[in-house]
Amino acid sequence: MHNGGLAAFLPPPEGGVGMENIARGFGRLWAAVLLTAAALLVLSGCGLRSPEELYALPRLSAEYESLQSALEGLQAQGYEYAAPTAGSNTQSVQLLDLDSDGVDEA
């Protein structure tokens, strides 16, 4: 007897088509679905940390913090900050090796 569709082209599973084989197929299907759902849940990372723990303010480098404290010390002595407004080097702070000792000065 011919059932039609794709089943007509596939050989019957070992042991014939029976309720045990159908139940085994559904069991494998549910196992695959549960395994996929568990993998997606674990790999998504949603349950690992709260959003507050994931957010963090950027930290300044130690070199920048020491430069900032040196500038604040100069301003406390009466020096005035004047940023360059024209030219090729318009960054607020220029780091150059002024005395050729291999260390950049601000």
Side-chain angles (χ1 to χ4, degrees), residues 71 75 80-87 89-94:
L71 290 174
Q75 285 179 333
E80 196 173 307
Y81 176 75
T85 58
N89 294 323
T90 57
Q91 294 176 329
S92 299
V93 176
Q94 304 289 321

Side-chain angles (χ1 to χ4, degrees), residues 26-87:
F26 279 121
R28 289 180 184 162
L29 175 67
W30 276 110
V33 168
L34 290 175
L35 181 63
T36 302
L40 288 174
L41 182 64
V42 170
L43 296 177
S44 70
C46 292
L48 299 179
R49 293 185 185 163
S50 68
E52 290 79 20
E53 291 175 335
L54 294 175
Y55 290 122
L57 294 174
R59 294 184 182 169
L60 300 175
S61 68
E63 183 179 63
Y64 182 83
E65 287 180 357
S66 67
L67 178 61
Q68 183 67 32
S69 64
L71 290 174
E72 288 171 356
L74 290 173
Q75 285 179 333
Q77 294 176 13
Y79 287 87
E80 196 173 307
Y81 176 75
T85 58

Side-chain angles (χ1 to χ4, degrees), residues 96-105:
L96 297 171
D97 186 11
L98 298 175
D99 54 5
S100 300
D101 64 351
V103 178
D104 288 340
E105 287 81 26

